[in-house]
Amino acid sequence: MLKSPLYGVLGTALVATAVLVPGAGAGAGTAVVSPDISVTNAKAHLDQFQSIATANGGNRATGRPGYLASANWVKSKLDAAGYTTALQSFSTSSGTSYNVIAEWPYGDANNVVMAGAHLDSVTSGPGINDNGTGSAGVLETALAYAASGQVAKNRLRFGFWGAEELGLLGSKYYVNSLPSAERAKVKLYLNFDMIGSPNPGYFVYNDNPAGNGARDDLTSYFTSKSIQTEYVDVQGRSDHAAFRSLGIATAGTFSGAEGTKTSAQATKWGGTAGAAYDPCYHRSCDNINNLNLTSLDRQIDAIGHMIWNYAQKDYGSTEPPTGTNLLKNPGFESGAVNWTGTSGVITNSSSKPARTGSYKAWLQGNGITGTENLGQSVAVPAAATAAALSLWIRIDSAETTTSTVYDTVKVQVIDGTTTTTLATYSNLNKSTSYVQKTLNLLPYKGKTVTIRFLGQEDSSLQTSFVIDDVAATTS
Ligand code: PHE
Ligand code: ZN
Ligand code: ZN
Ligand code: CA
């Protein structure tokens, strides 16, 4: 299908200038500001888990319909937020179970930071504290990250494990199915299993020396909020054990299960001495009333703190640098706003899917001689030590040659009267899935330049260059 050919020139009057928001993003050596993860939203997720259990025989257990309903619902929320998700199935003695894996498709894929929670309940109840709370907290943190505009240096991945209650089966299946090269990329796994216990404790664990640093970061975070913690050896009783067995750094938090709160703990944490942290542990009363929302609120903010900070941790990644996206309307969802160039290029046409949302920039695809372009001005801060332009592109073409360039899109930087082409993609780079490209903008630090995409086609056989989710970031 061909687009209507509309030609134009790059506008010069209506250039938008991006400014660096002071304090936003993480410059080199700058602490990341911790987010406030919404306990209202997390509670709404728990209400959803309760509704799913109620509609499915009172539980969300492996092999029961409430489990798959939970998994599908979590996956749909993550899909809508722009995550790349997978439903990974595996078999158990109680029937098929599923892991939901969600990856934020930015950041260095060689340095993966993971957080996870088991999504299954026991058969006796809806599993709201165990482990609706961990699931809701990890889910809400993932959704908040997607909405934040943070540009991750590292790759963030979230796991919602099936069949934990049958012996940590989902997390074990996941790590066993990871090729060894992929295992080596996972730098940290954070686990959250029971974080809203009605008579809460504030426990941190790591269970392996590699996780000491992350555990200490959790402890320091709680200390900064005047919350005392206790270190606990949970002896591999949750999904971090599978990661630990591969030598991956692990850490987590826990508000307590069947154990009894001591009077010393009640003094520092409040609640009831001599009673279980969770009297409804693995019982039918682990329902929507079996919660301490103060505990949940504090714990999910700790998850957010860890994710925001570890997303930017220096594991030796070089791209993309950290920081706020300097481009406006970078995913084109506001249509032509902030962009100048050929009219009609930014489109929500359903014949070429957007990478995220519904709008994207579709250059060329006309099958006749012509050019199209799109541009936006950006001020690259003088203090930048790294600066990158990243974009996602899919290219489909009616050209069949494997050797001759006929149609191209150039990624250019216009600096005053000088135009530099950073990269050229052509009909030889056909790919109907989106591929991320990262280009260096550091030579333009201290300058206001225009980023331009310039498409060019010859007289026949269309090539469509579809670009989405563009980011200019610095650190
Ligand atoms: N994994 C346990 C369960 O789901 C709970 C637990 C979590 C116990 C963390 C110890 C530490 O039943
Ligand atoms: Zn349990
Ligand atoms: Zn649990
Ligand atoms: Ca888009």
Side-chain angles (χ1 to χ4, degrees):
M1 182 185 177
L2 304 182
K3 287 187 297 176
S4 58
L6 289 164
Y7 307 127
V9 292
L10 178 70
T12 48
L14 296 171
V15 283
T17 302
V19 293
L20 187 66
V21 180
T30 310
V32 177
V33 176
S34 298
D36 177 16
I37 305 299
S38 166
V39 72
T40 306
N41 292 355
K43 171 63 166 52
H45 304 332
L46 291 170
D47 290 335
Q48 181 69 26
F49 292 138
Q50 177 66 62
S51 301
I52 287 171
T54 302
N56 289 284
N59 67 68
R60 302 182 301 107
T62 303
R64 308 290 181 91
Y67 183 73
L68 183 54
S70 299
N72 283 331
W73 181 78
V74 166
K75 182 176 183 297
S76 71
K77 296 288 281 186
L78 293 159
D79 283 333
Y83 280 86
T84 302
T85 66
L87 192 63
Q88 179 184 50
S89 65
F90 58 96
S91 44
T92 81
S93 58
S94 300
T96 304
S97 185
Y98 305 86
N99 294 324
V100 179
I101 309 296
E103 185 160 300
W104 187 238
Y106 301 93
D108 186 347
N110 290 314
N111 293 311
V112 179
V113 172
M114 284 192 77
H118 76 84
L119 186 56
D120 63 316
S121 72
V122 291
T123 53
S124 51
I128 294 303
N129 186 36
D130 184 14
N131 186 31
T133 55
S135 301
V138 172
L139 173 62
E140 183 54 27
T141 302
L143 299 180
Y145 196 87
S148 70
Q150 293 281 310
V151 179
K153 182 195 267 300
N154 302 316
R155 190 60 66 113
L156 294 175
R157 191 181 298 160
F158 299 93
F160 299 84
W161 313 118
E164 188 269 358
E165 299 290 5
L166 302 182
L168 318 176
L169 299 184
S171 50
K172 285 181 187 168
Y173 184 86
Y174 175 77
V175 302
N176 288 334
S177 68
L178 270 186
S180 57
E182 294 304 311
R183 294 174 182 181
K185 295 175 184 174
V186 181
K187 304 302 177 202
L188 175 66
Y189 172 75
L190 296 167
N191 193 62
F192 301 95
D193 185 357
M194 305 183 73
I195 57 172
S197 303
N199 187 26
Y202 293 85
F203 299 103
V204 298
Y205 58 88
N206 54 304
D207 273 14
N208 66 351
N212 283 346
R215 182 202 67 200
D216 291 347
D217 286 343
L218 282 163
T219 304
S220 312
Y221 170 78
F222 282 115
T223 304
S224 77
K225 300 287 169 189
S226 305
I227 301 161
Q228 294 173 263
T229 56
E230 286 183 16
Y231 166 72
V232 63
D233 178 357
V234 301
Q235 304 191 309
R237 276 185 67 191
S238 193
D239 296 295
H240 61 292
F243 292 84
R244 176 184 70 170
S245 73
L246 298 183
I248 293 168
T250 66
T253 68
F254 176 48
S255 57
E258 75 282 10
T260 303
K261 187 177 270 186
T262 65
S263 50
Q265 290 173 335
T267 301
K268 65 182 170 189
W269 292 327
T272 311
Y277 305 107
D278 183 355
C280 288
Y281 176 62
H282 284 186
R283 297 176 59 199
S284 60
C285 59
D286 184 12
N287 61 28
I288 198 65
N289 301 314
N290 189 43
L291 288 173
N292 179 298
L293 288 177
T294 300
S295 168
L296 183 66
D297 191 8
R298 292 167 163 182
Q299 294 269 9
I300 64 179
D301 288 347
I303 303 174
H305 171 81
M306 294 298 279
I307 292 300
W308 260 243
N309 280 276
Y310 276 83
Q312 308 302 4
K313 191 178 167 72
D314 186 3
Y315 289 110
S317 297
T318 54
E319 59 184 10
T322 58
T324 306
N325 193 346
L326 301 175
L327 291 169
K328 294 176 178 170
N329 186 21
F332 307 105
E333 296 308 309
S334 303
V337 174
N338 299 117
W339 294 94
T340 54
T342 311
S343 63
V345 161
I346 298 173
T347 173
N348 65 349
S349 160
S350 59
S351 61
K352 291 280 184 296
R355 184 178 159 275
T356 60
S358 49
Y359 283 82
K360 60 268 158 183
W362 180 357
L363 291 132
Q364 307 306 139
N366 304 311
I368 59 173
T369 306
T371 68
E372 295 177 351
N373 70 75
L374 200 61
Q376 185 174 146
S377 171
V378 62
V380 183
T385 53
L389 175 68
S390 74
L391 59 102
W392 291 81
I393 185 167
R394 54 166 280 170
I395 300 170
D396 38 317
S397 179
E399 302 285 0
T400 54
T401 170
T402 55
S403 57
T404 309
V405 171
Y406 291 113
D407 307 320
T408 56
V409 66
K410 291 182 169 141
V411 182
Q412 300 181 318
V413 177
I414 304 169
D415 174 14
T417 55
T418 306
T419 299
T420 305
T421 297
L422 299 180
T424 302
Y425 309 113
S426 76
N427 53 288
L428 298 182
N429 306 115
K430 273 189 223 187
S431 167
T432 51
S433 56
Y434 280 95
V435 176
Q436 189 177 29
K437 306 287 184 184
T438 305
L439 305 165
N440 188 17
L441 288 181
L442 196 58
Y444 306 98
K445 71 176 178 180
K447 292 181 167 176
T448 297
V449 295
T450 297
I451 306 295
R452 178 167 71 169
F453 307 117
L454 175 62
Q456 188 150 27
E457 264 182 304
D458 74 343
S459 60
S460 68
L461 298 176
Q462 73 85 24
T463 302
S464 292
F465 300 97
V466 187
I467 294 171
D468 204 356
D469 298 325
V470 183
T473 54
T474 64
S475 59

